Amino acid sequence: MNALFGLVPDTAASAIWAMVVASLLPLLMALTAKIIGGFSLTDNAHPRDFLQRTTGAAARANAAQQNSYETLPVFLAAVLVAMLFFVPQLIINTLAWLYVLIRIGYCAAYITNLATFRSILWVLSIACCLMLFYLAIRVSV
């Protein structure tokens, strides 16, 4: 059985791929910040200084990168705990990929300066993680 219109398979590999994609998202946001900010090879000597000096969309992409790193451990732990406690794999996969999709939307909202929408998406992404923890608790009782 598949979820999300047949796009999410019910194998553990799907959740692992979601974790890989979520782990690469901060790097994509760093690259986006650098491209928007006009990063050059000479800036590579001190890339953090370059990112701190950016403004506008580049600074927001950098902030999205930082927030992506901040929420990533919670997501990775939630998926692993849910798998450890044998939450049905299809549910884990659905929530994991939903998290990834919401985080992509979050990053886009951050870069385009949609602050309220960004905050709503942040809450929804954390809700995916909390739901995975909750389901692991329910299965273990």
Side-chain angles (χ1 to χ4, degrees):
M1 179 175 236
N2 293 328
L4 291 178
F5 308 107
L7 298 175
V8 179
D10 57 357
T11 65
S14 181
I16 294 167
W17 276 113
M19 291 190 290
V20 169
V21 172
S23 297
L24 293 175
L25 193 56
L27 300 175
L28 179 61
M29 288 300 98
L31 181 61
T32 302
K34 289 176 180 180
I35 289 170
I36 294 171
F39 189 82
S40 68
L41 290 178
T42 58
D43 295 315
N44 202 40
H46 300 284
R48 292 183 183 187
D49 291 341
F50 169 82
L51 288 171
Q52 288 177 344
R53 290 190 311 270
T54 59
T55 59
R60 291 190 300 274
N62 185 44
Q65 172 206 189
Q66 292 170 347
N67 185 266
S68 294
Y69 275 125
E70 292 165 358
T71 62
L72 184 60
V74 177
F75 169 67
L76 297 175
V79 172
L80 292 174
V81 166
M83 292 173 80
L84 180 68
F85 283 93
F86 301 106
V87 171
Q89 194 64 52
L90 184 60
I91 295 171
I92 295 170
N93 296 352
T94 301
L95 287 169
W97 280 108
L98 188 58
Y99 170 89
V100 169
L101 292 174
I102 291 169
R103 290 300 302 181
I104 291 169
Y106 169 89
C107 291
Y110 212 139
I111 293 168
T112 57
N113 205 20
L114 301 172
T116 302
F117 185 54
R118 179 191 83 219
S119 296
I120 292 167
L121 292 174
W122 184 89
V123 168
L124 291 174
S125 70
I126 293 300
C128 290
C129 299
L130 294 176
M131 181 59 78
L132 287 167
F133 282 125
Y134 172 76
L135 292 170
I137 291 167
R138 294 288 298 176
V139 169
S140 69
V141 175

